Every structure is written in structure tokens, then in C-alpha cells.
């Protein structure tokens, strides 16, 4: 009888340990999912912020020899391009990163700078639309077509 009590006690302890471990594992997994969800939300917010900053930059004056306005635009477009890939918007709007990267490369190409400046209002309007809806494929197509036109 003592032997069976010891076996039952050992089994009960093992079951309790397993239940505690299972609860701990489930809690850890739920926390991990929440952390990932939070990080993804922060990336998406940063992406939208950079789209808005880019739109704002393209409404500034690029004339008069002041290079800082244009350089700020380059920085905003570069940041938007960098954050586009890990954003959740990339899943539904696959070419948004391509368009942003293409625009960034055109902006740092000295031969394209004046062309980009000449299309600043059009670019600003595209960024305003993308800021409102980063999943808008039609607006991304506009961006990609504009970038392609810079090389014609």
C-alpha cells in the first residue's frame, strides 16, 4: 500500500509539474505573439510616418541654392524605402518597395535631380495617397511609372 501511495504521489507531482510547464509555455508563447504584433505595428506606423514626411518634403522650395530641403527629401524617401520591406503593407502591395527604392536612387543620381525637382508636386501627391493607404496598388503603379519616366 505504501508503494502505491508513493507512485500516486510521484505521478501527481509529475502531472503538476507538467501542467505548470504547459501554462508557462502557453503564457510565453502568447507574450511572444503580442511582442511581435507590437513590433509590426511600430514598423507600420514608422512606414506611414516616413511616407507623410516624404510628402511634406516635396512641398518645400528646392530653389535658391538651399540644398537642405532636397537632402531632407532624400533622407525621408530613403527611410520610407528601408522600412517598406518589413512593413505589413508589402504583403498586399508588393511593388511599393521597388518604387520607393527607384525614386531614392534617382534622387541621389546627380543627372536626375532636376527632373525629380520638376516633378515634385506629382511626387508629393503620390506620397499623400500612399500615406493615406499604403496598400493602394494603383498609386504604387503611378510611383513606378513616374520612376520609369525619370530614366527616359
Amino acid at each position: 500500500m505504501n508503494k502505491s501511495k508513493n507512485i500516486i504521489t510521484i505521478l501527481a507531482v509529475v502531472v503538476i509539474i507538467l501542467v505548470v510547464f504547459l501554462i508557462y509555455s502557453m503564457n510565453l508563447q502568447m507574450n511572444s505573439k503580442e511582442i511581435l504584433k507590437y513590433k509590426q505595428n511600430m514598423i507600420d506606423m514608422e512606414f506611414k510616418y516616413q511616407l507623410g514626411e516624404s510628402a511634406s518634403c516635396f512641398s518645400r522650395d528646392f530653389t535658391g541654392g538651399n540644398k537642405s530641403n532636397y537632402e531632407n527629401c532624400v533622407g525621408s524617401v530613403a527611410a520610407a524605402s528601408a522600412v517598406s520591406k518589413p512593413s505589413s503593407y508589402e504583403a498586399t502591395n508588393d511593388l511599393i518597395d521597388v518604387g520607393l527604392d527607384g525614386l531614392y536612387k534617382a534622387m541621389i543620381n546627380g543627372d536626375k535631380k532636376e527632373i525629380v525637382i520638376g516633378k515634385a508636386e506629382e511626387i508629393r501627391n503620390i506620397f499623400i495617397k500612399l500615406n493615406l493607404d499604403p496598400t493602394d496598388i494603383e498609386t504604387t503603379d503611378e510611383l513606378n511609372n513616374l520612376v520609369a519616366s525619370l530614366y527616359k
Side-chain angles (χ1 to χ4, degrees), residues 25-138:
S25 296
M26 288 173 54
N27 189 30
L28 189 63
Q29 185 179 16
M30 286 178 21
N31 286 340
S32 295
K33 286 181 183 178
E34 289 300 315
I35 289 170
L36 288 175
K37 187 176 178 181
Y38 171 78
K39 287 181 179 181
Q40 186 63 60
N41 190 33
M42 294 304 292
I43 290 169
D44 291 347
M45 287 174 36
E46 178 64 21
F47 180 56
K48 287 190 78 168
Y49 173 78
Q50 291 302 334
L51 290 172
E53 281 297 302
S54 297
S56 174
C57 281
F58 279 103
S59 63
R60 295 183 185 148
D61 183 21
F62 298 127
T63 60
N66 185 356
K67 295 180 182 181
S68 66
N69 285 342
Y70 187 79
E71 290 168 357
N72 287 338
C73 267
V74 172
S76 292
V77 172
S81 176
V83 181
S84 66
K85 194 71 168 168
S87 77
S88 65
Y89 303 112
E90 170 68 18
T92 54
N93 192 355
D94 190 39
L95 295 177
I96 194 164
D97 61 324
V98 174
L100 292 170
D101 188 55
L103 179 59
Y104 165 69
K105 287 177 180 175
M107 292 177 75
I108 61 173
N109 181 338
D111 296 339
K112 306 297 179 201
K113 180 179 177 180
E114 292 305 317
I115 301 170
V116 170
I117 290 173
K119 294 183 179 258
E121 185 176 344
E122 185 179 351
I123 295 169
R124 180 181 60 85
N125 290 334
I126 289 172
F127 274 106
I128 289 171
K129 289 183 209 175
L130 286 174
N131 179 257
L132 293 172
D133 182 11
T135 63
D136 185 353
I137 294 170
E138 289 178 17

Side-chain angles (χ1 to χ4, degrees), residues 2 4 22 46:
N2 275 339
S4 65
L22 181 62
E46 178 64 21

